[in-house]
Amino acid sequence: DTEVTQTPKHLVMGMTNKKSLKCEQHMGHRAMYWYKQKAKKPPELMFVYSYEKLSINESVPSRFSPECPNSSLLNLHLHALQPEDSALYLCASSQTHKRTGGNTIYFGEGSWLTVV
Amino acid sequence: GENVEQHPSTLSVQEGDSAVIKCTYSDSASNYFPWYKQELGKGPQLIIDIRSNVGEKKDQRIAVTLNKTAKHFSLHITETQPEDSAVYFCAAILNFGNEKLTFGTGTRLTIIP
């Protein structure tokens, strides 16, 4: 089973709202990722967690706040977003972050976010 | 950092014909090259991958070839079917580095029945 589960599938929020996106995997993977994808573009890396610690932040604005409560869960807290933040937010996971021989990254189906 | 170029951006083929998508990468240290298929409204799905110690890999109708000297890799889909219609992304990663997956710009493949 190579399943990464994301909730909600769709989210509409106002610019003053606070909401969260959730991601879960039960493959024993120790690296988890958040990507952002705009229409007709490839996914762009936002954050990487390795062994529940933030290891990469791609200079993402502070209105996006990631959290990794345990090895199976990854959250993305959203606050004071702008309409241009509307996009598909993808969670992904892989066995390890740095490992000889490589790893395979599996994506969830994504959460469609619309900021109004 | 790594840069991945992907061509063509759109591709239409008759059902039953073959489709080929090509990618080039810039960092010779990249050693893992996955291909993802993304259907409308869904997340990217890994369809095949290849590591730098292998020149070719095949899985039923899908194959990937890697030329490390030229720094390019290609996806080959034979006997195309309507369900192959999707956007395909190539990617490259330095597994011994910071593990950032660099994507190509994507190819929209349309299979004409």
Side-chain angles (χ1 to χ4, degrees):
Chain A
D1 184 15
T2 56
E3 190 169 324
V4 177
T5 304
Q6 290 187 242
T7 56
K9 293 195 185 309
H10 298 273
L11 176 63
V12 179
M13 62 184 291
M15 289 188 283
T16 58
N17 291 160
K18 285 185 180 180
K19 296 286 184 182
S20 297
L21 305 180
K22 297 185 183 300
C23 176
E24 191 168 0
Q25 57 86 15
H26 295 288
M27 296 177 278
H29 290 174
R30 301 310 299 271
M32 296 186 76
Y33 311 75
W34 280 114
Y35 283 80
K36 173 182 178 180
Q37 187 178 25
K38 301 284 273 185
K40 299 185 179 181
K41 296 289 187 181
E44 296 177 11
L45 182 65
M46 300 174 70
F47 303 103
V48 180
Y49 272 83
S50 177
Y51 292 89
E52 294 118 71
K53 290 189 177 359
L54 183 65
S55 61
I56 294 178
N57 177 342
E58 289 288 281
S59 302
V60 179
S62 60
R63 58 186 184 268
F64 295 93
S65 176
E67 178 197 21
C68 190
N70 60 53
S71 61
S72 299
L73 295 174
L74 185 66
N75 299 322
L76 185 63
H77 302 298
L78 314 170
H79 175 53
L81 296 193
Q82 303 297 311
E84 58 264 31
D85 296 322
S86 298
L88 177 67
Y89 288 84
L90 295 161
C91 175
S93 71
S94 63
Q95 190 166 10
T96 55
H97 184 221
K98 295 185 181 187
R99 179 182 174 189
T100 301
N103 56 37
T104 301
I105 299 175
Y106 298 96
F107 286 84
E109 295 286 33
S111 292
W112 289 92
L113 173 67
T114 303
V115 181
V116 297
Chain B
E2 176 63 279
N3 182 52
V4 178
E5 294 187 359
Q6 183 172 347
H7 300 280
S9 57
T10 60
L11 179 61
S12 295
V13 300
Q14 289 290 140
E15 182 178 353
D17 288 351
S18 296
V20 180
I21 302 171
K22 299 182 179 182
C23 290
T24 59
Y25 61 99
S26 60
D27 194 330
S28 57
S30 291
N31 58 8
Y32 173 63
F33 307 92
W35 284 89
Y36 290 89
K37 174 184 180 183
Q38 189 170 25
E39 297 179 47
L40 193 62
K42 296 189 174 183
Q45 176 192 5
L46 180 74
I47 55 171
I48 197 167
D49 57 11
I50 192 167
R51 303 188 192 282
S52 59
N53 58 349
V54 175
E56 183 175 359
K57 183 176 178 181
K58 190 173 181 180
D59 183 4
Q60 299 183 346
R61 297 186 297 108
I62 295 174
V64 57
T65 58
L66 172 65
N67 183 328
K68 287 172 55 180
T69 303
K71 291 190 284 187
H72 66 69
F73 56 112
S74 300
L75 178 71
H76 304 254
I77 306 174
T78 59
E79 301 173 12
T80 53
Q81 301 169 2
E83 53 265 37
D84 295 328
S85 294
V87 177
Y88 290 80
F89 290 102
C90 63
I93 194 170
L94 281 74
N95 281 126
F96 301 94
N98 59 16
E99 303 284 55
K100 287 178 60 174
L101 193 61
T102 301
F103 284 92
T105 48
T107 296
R108 180 171 297 280
L109 174 63
T110 302
I111 307 302
I112 304 166

